[in-house]
Amino acid sequence: MKIGLALRELHRSEDDLGHELLQVADRHRVDHEIFHVAQDLARWSQQHVREIAAVAGRYGEDLDPEPHGMPSLAKRALERSAELVGRTSTADLLLLRDLRGLYLKAAGVSVDWELVAQAAQGIRHTDLLGLAQRCHPETVRQMKWANGKLKESATQALVS
């Protein structure tokens, strides 16, 4: 059975999405909606990481239940110094880039949940199917939030 491999990839992509949401929250902390919503959405991914790790052992995978936290202080300092010397785009364009990245990562996680759900349904593992049915809608909401914010921000950022 290769479900363990799918769970490993899902675990990695959920962890990556949660980490990216925290980074976006940190980079756009002056935008209170982005800051708070991205942090809330990151908690969903972090919980998904824990839940995937909890079931993965049944499929031969030993996954770390602890999600990535905030980026290291050194990495954050490097990003901030790059912004200060003008190597990054303006704040509006940076937000568009970040939201685009979040949307694409959430879409990838959504596909991974679909694959796991299909496999769980095929082998009639109700626990795994239940996990996918519980977590996948939250991933879809993460994707829709990023897409909605993209639509809201695109005109201002690209026309001004």
Side-chain angles (χ1 to χ4, degrees):
M1 225 180 319
K2 297 170 187 129
I3 293 177
L5 293 173
L7 287 172
R8 175 173 290 282
E9 176 57 21
L10 178 59
H11 180 270
R12 187 204 57 76
S13 60
E14 275 283 11
D15 195 32
D16 191 38
L17 176 59
H19 185 70
E20 185 65 25
L21 280 161
L22 289 175
Q23 286 184 314
V24 168
D26 188 52
R27 279 195 294 266
H28 301 282
R29 62 179 47 241
V30 295
D31 184 329
H32 295 289
E33 183 189 344
I34 296 289
F35 180 72
H36 291 291
V37 174
Q39 284 190 328
D40 288 345
L41 295 177
R43 282 191 208 68
W44 286 353
S45 285
Q46 292 172 333
Q47 183 59 34
H48 296 172
V49 165
R50 290 182 193 98
E51 292 186 51
I52 295 164
V55 302
R58 290 182 233 159
Y59 302 94
E61 294 292 330
D62 181 24
L63 302 175
D64 186 359
E66 284 306 310
H68 278 97
M70 287 296 294
S72 70
L73 186 59
K75 185 174 180 182
R76 289 168 49 193
L78 263 174
E79 289 176 358
R80 297 245 191 245
S81 64
E83 289 173 19
L84 290 174
V85 296
R87 284 189 273 165
T88 62
S89 306
T90 65
D92 288 346
L93 292 177
L94 178 62
L95 179 61
L96 285 183
R97 185 197 72 184
D98 285 346
L99 291 169
R100 180 182 178 275
L102 284 175
Y103 176 80
L104 292 173
K105 285 183 187 223
V109 173
S110 178
V111 169
D112 290 345
W113 278 119
E114 285 287 348
L115 296 174
V116 167
Q118 289 299 315
Q121 197 168 24
I123 59 173
R124 296 186 172 99
H125 282 202
T126 55
D127 291 351
L128 187 56
L129 181 59
L131 177 65
Q133 289 174 334
R134 192 173 54 254
C135 295
H136 189 206
E138 291 177 344
T139 301
V140 170
R141 288 179 61 193
Q142 290 169 319
M143 192 171 61
K144 286 183 176 178
W145 174 77
N147 191 36
K149 292 302 294 180
L150 268 171
K151 289 177 183 175
E152 183 183 303
S153 306
T155 304
Q156 176 73 26
L158 297 176
V159 174
S160 63

